[in-house]
Amino acid sequence: MVPAPSPSDPHPLIRKLESIAVLTDDERQALLDLPMQVTAIKEDQDIVREGDRPSRSFAILSGFTCTYKITGDGKRQIVAFGIPGDMPDIQSLHLKVLDIGVATLTPCNVGFIQHEDLWDLCMRHPRLGAIFWRETLVESASFREWILNVGRREAYPRMAHVLCELLVRLRAVGLAEDHSCDLPITQVEFADALGITTVHANRVLQQMRADRLIKTKGSRLNIPDWEQLKAAGDFDPTYLHLRPDEVVT
Amino acid sequence: MVPAPSPSDPHPLIRKLESIAVLTDDERQALLDLPMQVTAIKEDQDIVREGDRPSRSFAILSGFTCTYKITGDGKRQIVAFGIPGDMPDIQSLHLKVLDIGVATLTPCNVGFIQHEDLWDLCMRHPRLGAIFWRETLVESASFREWILNVGRREAYPRMAHVLCELLVRLRAVGLAEDHSCDLPITQVEFADALGITTVHANRVLQQMRADRLIKTKGSRLNIPDWEQLKAAGDFDPTYLHLRPDEVVT
DNA sequence: CGTTTGGTTGAAATGTGTCAAACTTTGTGG
DNA sequence: CCACAAAGTTTGACACATTTCAACCAAACG
């Protein structure tokens, strides 16, 4: 008996895939049947490291991760944040050597899926294979926007932009209300994501609070004026390629 | 009668795919049989624009392109250079709305392929479908490295890094000798790729010439000391995921 | 309750941007 | 083949965003 599809589907992976594509009951069931090794991982741990040759990928079931690279002299650049439903290293299905590391920002539950099982799924459900491909392409589009952000926007709009992206993505998987969400990301991590210093990240955030673009209380982020933040960050969610009804502009 | 595979295969697309994967004669023939509308495009023209909803993708047969995005206030960021064999908008196969523009840097010959024909090919030759997927993942890896480059390296190593990437990629498709190649990229374009000003790009290049890392004569680039340039650019070609025998370190 | 982690501050140093002009190469039409 | 325009490159002086360094403060935590 297949459970009725629900907007608040408890399985993060399905919730995420449904935010970018439509699934049939059959496909949803096939995903639920995927052999998945669920593992709890503590905060600030590497799940995978650059140079690894994994035989499995993983889906984030709960918690936040960051995908990062390190320069020869040890400077870290975060290239993406991972939220529940994401599969940050799904690329290892095709590319044997990992060119990135993925670390937890919070305690996480992740579900490991053997590559052979993923291949199997893609073969038996070509449409799901296409959806996974599509997902990697959406990720790729996010990288392009990230390049634009880091390369051509100053620190202040750059920060505004990532905050916008995070809120929209969290909303798409049901982890944010209209104008607030839990964002357990430290200033060091924001700095590494934006390609700036921690000190500067701090100053930019202070300025944004003074400008009443954001309010923070602990790890809680509140956005009093979404339109203004969007404008400040030059943010247009098109590049996230969400299903139209998932985009709350 | 299938022509014997040759290291200098005249078809750029096949040459490129073979630099990242092994093709069977059958697959090579299927690629050659792809209906392709070859078109000559002048310098400095958009091939596709952000917001387009193309029904076809294209392969670069000759010439150079750049893939770019524009901020709300008109600043351009180049996120990738395209060289013969590349398919800069293959993503539009899955993502209906383009989030990028692609422009020619030189006169180009491009081969347009209808999406339906590409889908057809992927269905009939699943391994080729996987190779196209793989290619988009390699591109994705390049974007990640590009973020690291722009976010965490100063202008000088940043420039060195793109020069290294370009040379390695050109070598992989047979368009560069060991230490020199034709690089018809202006300083304005380098600046837009690196997220710096033209003026600064100019100064960095001058410094690199003074340091004898590069020599330029017209659009000809010569690299007297590859090891030193690699070191200056903190360059490791792993992220390009080339077949080992294609990587000349 | 001390220790750790994350956040905040100030002053000085610096990489990169800005602006505006001049120079050089390339391509083209007369 | 010259002349000229257009495109690309180079220069200098100055402004400014961001970094650096080093210290201090506040909240979280066992």
Side-chain angles (χ1 to χ4, degrees):
Chain A
M1 202 173 56
V2 180
S6 117
S8 57
D9 194 305
H11 199 297
L13 179 55
I14 293 177
R15 184 78 181 80
K16 160 67 183 292
L17 292 179
E18 288 194 314
S19 77
I20 60 170
V22 180
L23 299 180
T24 66
D25 287 349
D26 201 37
E27 289 160 351
R28 208 171 300 133
Q29 193 56 47
L31 284 165
L32 289 170
D33 291 343
L34 257 189
M36 199 181 266
Q37 185 198 326
V38 178
T39 308
I41 303 184
K42 287 206 269 288
E43 199 178 339
D44 280 316
Q45 303 284 311
D46 278 329
I47 305 177
V48 293
R49 292 197 174 85
E50 184 171 346
D52 281 359
R53 298 166 158 273
S55 62
R56 56 184 192 178
S57 292
F58 65 91
I60 305 171
L61 303 179
S62 72
F64 284 64
T65 68
C66 68
T67 302
Y68 67 92
K69 301 193 61 145
I70 306 259
T71 62
D73 52 339
K75 280 179 282 204
R76 179 174 77 158
Q77 174 70 44
I78 291 176
V79 301
F81 289 113
I83 66 176
D86 289 341
M87 301 184 65
D89 74 339
I90 192 182
Q91 40 150 334
S92 63
L93 194 55
H94 281 94
L95 304 179
K96 289 315 144 207
V97 180
L98 268 190
D99 57 89
I100 43 128
V102 181
T104 56
L105 299 179
T106 66
C108 286
N109 282 304
V110 307
F112 289 102
I113 309 167
Q114 290 300 130
H115 286 162
E116 45 194 309
D117 293 327
L118 261 178
W119 275 120
D120 206 53
L121 181 73
C122 293
M123 292 305 153
R124 269 211 294 269
H125 300 266
R127 250 185 45 95
L128 276 181
I131 290 173
F132 281 124
W133 186 357
R134 186 187 149 89
E135 199 193 331
T136 63
L137 291 172
V138 171
E139 195 191 23
S140 198
S142 290
F143 291 143
R144 291 190 287 267
E145 183 72 25
W146 205 287
I147 296 174
L148 176 66
N149 204 31
V150 172
R152 286 300 187 209
R153 294 194 188 103
E154 304 207 321
Y156 188 103
R158 209 183 292 179
M159 177 73 81
H161 194 280
V162 282
L163 292 179
C164 288
E165 173 177 322
L166 282 165
L167 188 72
V168 169
R169 287 174 56 208
L170 286 169
R171 275 202 293 233
V173 293
L175 288 174
E177 298 83 70
D178 271 8
H179 301 108
S180 70
C181 61
D182 203 55
L183 251 203
I185 300 178
T186 68
Q187 295 186 356
V188 177
E189 287 145 6
F190 274 123
D192 283 350
L194 301 180
I196 60 179
T197 332
T198 310
V199 172
H200 201 53
N202 176 269
R203 287 174 176 144
V204 166
L205 282 171
Q206 284 182 62
Q207 189 58 51
M208 293 182 70
R209 284 191 285 247
D211 296 342
R212 294 175 204 291
L213 288 189
I214 59 169
K215 288 185 193 165
T216 55
K217 192 161 42 166
S219 70
R220 194 83 203 160
L221 170 71
N222 186 64
I223 296 170
D225 188 343
W226 174 241
E227 287 305 321
Q228 215 188 321
L229 186 68
K230 256 179 57 178
D234 185 26
F235 181 76
D236 174 346
T238 309
Y239 72 94
L240 292 172
H241 297 276
L242 293 169
R243 287 168 52 206
D245 53 307
E246 294 282 350
V247 187
V248 186
T249 42
Chain B
M1 201 173 57
V2 180
S6 113
S8 57
D9 193 305
H11 200 299
L13 179 55
I14 293 178
R15 184 77 180 79
K16 159 67 183 294
L17 292 179
E18 288 195 314
S19 77
I20 60 170
V22 179
L23 299 179
T24 66
D25 288 349
D26 201 36
E27 289 160 352
R28 208 171 298 128
Q29 192 57 48
L31 285 166
L32 288 170
D33 291 343
L34 255 189
M36 198 180 266
Q37 185 198 326
V38 178
T39 308
I41 302 184
K42 286 208 270 287
E43 198 178 341
D44 281 316
Q45 303 284 312
D46 277 329
I47 306 176
V48 292
R49 290 198 176 84
E50 184 170 348
D52 282 358
R53 298 167 158 272
S55 62
R56 56 185 191 178
S57 293
F58 65 90
I60 305 171
L61 303 178
S62 72
F64 284 64
T65 69
C66 68
T67 302
Y68 66 92
K69 301 193 63 146
I70 307 258
T71 62
D73 53 338
K75 281 179 281 202
R76 179 173 76 158
Q77 174 70 44
I78 292 176
V79 301
F81 289 114
I83 66 176
D86 288 341
M87 302 185 65
D89 73 342
I90 192 181
Q91 41 150 331
S92 63
L93 194 55
H94 280 92
L95 305 179
K96 289 314 144 206
V97 180
L98 268 190
D99 57 88
I100 44 129
V102 181
T104 57
L105 299 179
T106 66
C108 285
N109 282 304
V110 308
F112 288 103
I113 309 167
Q114 291 299 131
H115 285 162
E116 44 194 310
D117 293 327
L118 261 178
W119 274 120
D120 208 52
L121 181 74
C122 292
M123 291 306 153
R124 268 211 293 270
H125 299 267
R127 250 185 44 95
L128 277 180
I131 289 173
F132 282 124
W133 186 357
R134 187 187 148 88
E135 198 192 333
T136 63
L137 291 172
V138 171
E139 196 192 22
S140 198
S142 290
F143 291 143
R144 291 190 287 267
E145 184 71 24
W146 205 287
I147 296 174
L148 176 66
N149 203 31
V150 172
R152 285 303 187 205
R153 293 194 188 102
E154 304 206 322
Y156 188 103
R158 211 184 291 178
M159 177 73 81
H161 194 279
V162 282
L163 292 179
C164 288
E165 172 177 320
L166 281 166
L167 187 72
V168 169
R169 286 174 57 208
L170 286 170
R171 275 203 294 233
V173 294
L175 288 174
E177 299 82 70
D178 271 7
H179 301 108
S180 70
C181 61
D182 204 56
L183 251 204
I185 299 177
T186 68
Q187 294 185 359
V188 178
E189 287 145 6
F190 274 123
D192 283 349
L194 301 182
I196 61 179
T197 337
T198 310
V199 173
H200 201 53
N202 177 267
R203 289 181 171 137
V204 166
L205 283 172
Q206 285 184 60
Q207 189 59 51
M208 291 182 71
R209 285 191 285 249
D211 295 343
R212 294 175 205 293
L213 287 189
I214 59 170
K215 289 184 191 167
T216 56
K217 193 161 40 166
S219 70
R220 194 85 205 157
L221 171 70
N222 186 62
I223 295 170
D225 188 343
W226 174 241
E227 287 305 321
Q228 215 189 320
L229 186 68
K230 256 179 57 179
D234 186 23
F235 181 75
D236 174 345
T238 310
Y239 72 94
L240 292 172
H241 297 275
L242 294 169
R243 287 168 51 206
D245 53 306
E246 295 282 349
V247 186
V248 186
T249 43

